[in-house]
Amino acid sequence: MPSATRPADRYSPLYLLAALGAGGIAVTFFLWLMFWVPHPDRPVPVFEDIVAAFGAGDWRAQAMIGTAYLGIAFFAFQHYRLLIWNLMQLSRFKRTADYAALCASNAESQLMALPLTLAMAINVGFVLGMVAVPGLWGVVEWLFPGAVVAFLAVGVLALRQLGAFLGRVKTTGGFDWTGNGSFAQMLPAFALSMVGVGLSAPAAMSSVPLISGASIILATFFLVASAVVGIVALILGVHSMMSHGVSAEAAPTILIVIPILTVLGILMLRVGHGLHVHFGVHEAPGDMLLLLTKIVSAQVLFGIFGLAMLRRTGYGARFLSGPENSVGAYALICPGVAMGVMLQFWINIGLVGAGLVAKFGVAFWVLSALPVATQVWMVWLLLRLNRRHFARPRVGQPVAAQ
């Protein structure tokens, strides 16, 4: 076989995180439209709302909308391009001895990156539909059952993969405690949470109580499943790190709690909205402010802890700017994206909703600069990692170790 000419030629299922990160960034651009474009008659902005805002807005509003569209289009394209590439590579990878070795080790849980990214692909598809398809809201109730079926299919895949992994380690053993010095085993919880947040969309947006109620029930199941799996993996990871230290190459996984909390937080907001509209369960703005503040607080704590571990292991100097490459570096994208997303919800639903900050006032834009800065940082990081892993080296240039 020909020798590898770039790091991505040595395939790992964690390259699915490159597609996941691109999809997440596309969603961050949609949030500009979600929170900065008026949509009084709908829970989310659609094509008609955006066109009306563009026509009525000044040059700043038009520049914002244009930038959001460009960001959504570019990163959605990157998401699907990288997803297709991963599916092709994964199909080949399954026929190799490396795949058999992966399925006999702790790394088998990496395969959960597949349902995680597939769930993101469905979400990105809905974003594209809302911003680009005229009249979509008129037929959206017909789309919700299909979306539920699609997310359930991904959820079944995730549960089967998790069951295969747990069944193997519980019956035959072989779990390597010394090599578990990270939160890598929380990837299944992340996948389950992404399925759950997708299933929760009809809860918040459907006008049909049956569809909303079914969505609430199914989303709650995956919320509980994600929480249970995540708590167990968190305890095991902390125990292993306290006993054997942090695995330097897997250090970015310490930040995985941040995207899990963001996804579950959005799930709870959607379920709460559905309960309010259809089932008489009312939450005051202060309740949402408290919920979102608790989530942001936990994320900040894990962020401080995770960044400290990255510094102590010299991760950036080795795998971001140094001579080594690690596919695990893509695990840094989702925490940054998720932190920015949750800050948007905290500002717009928490602070503005509770009346602490005036919409579009000076304080509002000062605070909004934080998620936007995080978003720009993640755009830079994703493009940098893609260059390191996917670009062909120049003639005579050695390929860095992976």
Side-chain angles (χ1 to χ4, degrees):
M1 294 183 62
S3 60
T5 57
R6 57 183 184 171
D9 291 327
R10 293 184 287 269
Y11 183 72
S12 164
L14 290 181
Y15 273 114
L16 283 158
L17 299 182
L20 181 71
I25 292 174
V27 172
T28 64
F29 281 102
F30 174 72
L31 290 184
W32 291 13
L33 307 174
M34 174 77 176
F35 293 121
W36 300 345
V37 168
H39 47 96
D41 300 324
R42 285 174 278 264
V44 291
V46 295
F47 179 79
E48 289 79 5
D49 299 313
I50 300 165
V51 169
F54 188 88
D58 58 16
W59 68 269
R60 290 168 296 185
Q62 292 174 346
M64 179 274 291
I65 293 172
T67 303
Y69 263 78
L70 288 174
I72 292 170
F74 178 78
F75 286 102
F77 171 77
Q78 294 298 320
H79 167 71
Y80 289 117
R81 180 183 69 84
L82 288 166
L83 175 58
I84 292 170
W85 178 84
N86 269 282
L87 293 175
M88 294 171 61
Q89 295 296 318
L90 182 60
S91 177
R92 298 188 186 101
F93 181 66
K94 287 182 176 180
R95 299 192 291 268
T96 67
D98 289 339
Y99 176 77
L102 179 141
C103 290
S105 69
N106 292 15
E108 184 181 5
S109 61
Q110 293 178 7
L111 296 173
M112 294 291 289
L114 177 59
L116 171 62
T117 309
L118 291 175
M120 175 61 80
I122 301 172
N123 286 320
V124 173
F126 265 89
V127 167
L128 292 174
M130 286 185 287
V131 303
V133 179
L136 181 69
W137 199 253
V139 298
V140 72
E141 294 292 351
W142 295 95
L143 301 178
F144 286 144
V148 168
V149 170
F151 278 112
L152 277 178
V154 176
V156 169
L157 172 63
L159 291 171
R160 288 185 62 183
Q161 289 184 338
L162 178 60
F165 172 66
L166 293 178
R168 177 179 64 82
V169 298
K170 292 296 184 182
T171 56
T172 64
F175 189 81
D176 182 9
W177 286 98
T178 62
N180 190 47
S182 69
F183 288 162
Q185 298 306 321
M186 293 192 73
L187 188 61
F190 191 10
L192 294 171
S193 70
M194 189 66 73
V195 172
V197 78
L199 286 168
S200 70
M205 291 186 278
S206 178
S207 61
V208 179
L210 178 60
I211 294 177
S212 180
S215 172
I216 289 170
I217 293 169
L218 293 170
T220 301
F221 170 81
F222 280 94
L223 182 152
V224 172
S226 174
V228 170
V229 172
I231 290 170
V232 172
L234 181 67
I235 294 171
L236 294 179
V238 170
H239 176 269
S240 186
M241 283 188 282
M242 294 290 287
S243 301
H244 307 288
V246 176
S247 172
E249 193 167 349
T253 63
I254 296 172
L255 298 168
I256 196 173
V257 176
I258 295 175
I260 293 174
L261 288 174
T262 289
V263 172
L264 293 181
I266 296 172
L267 187 159
M268 287 186 282
L269 288 175
R270 288 175 169 177
V271 167
H273 184 75
L275 291 172
H276 167 74
V277 172
H278 296 292
F279 303 104
V281 179
H282 304 297
E283 291 183 331
D287 296 324
M288 289 185 282
L289 172 63
L290 185 59
L291 170 64
L292 293 170
T293 301
K294 289 177 180 177
I295 293 173
V296 170
S297 299
Q299 289 177 318
V300 170
L301 288 173
F302 275 99
I304 293 171
F305 173 57
L307 292 175
M309 292 299 100
L310 291 173
R311 282 195 298 270
R312 290 186 67 87
T313 58
Y315 191 89
R318 288 181 59 184
F319 301 112
L320 300 181
S321 60
E324 298 178 83
N325 284 306
S326 171
V327 62
Y330 280 103
L332 293 171
I333 303 295
C334 280
V337 168
M339 191 75 242
V341 167
M342 186 47 61
L343 285 173
Q344 287 275 30
F345 278 86
W346 181 64
I347 294 166
N348 289 275
I349 295 179
L351 297 178
V352 173
L356 295 177
V357 173
K359 186 82 167 181
F360 302 138
V362 174
F364 176 87
W365 289 118
V366 170
L367 289 169
S368 295
L370 294 174
V372 172
T374 304
Q375 179 183 6
V376 171
W377 185 17
M378 291 303 103
V379 167
W380 172 84
L381 181 57
L382 179 65
L383 296 178
R384 180 180 180 86
L385 289 174
N386 283 349
R387 252 191 335 267
R388 289 178 67 98
H389 286 261
F390 291 95
R392 296 285 178 183
R394 294 187 298 272
V395 177
Q397 180 184 6
V399 177
Q402 184 176 10

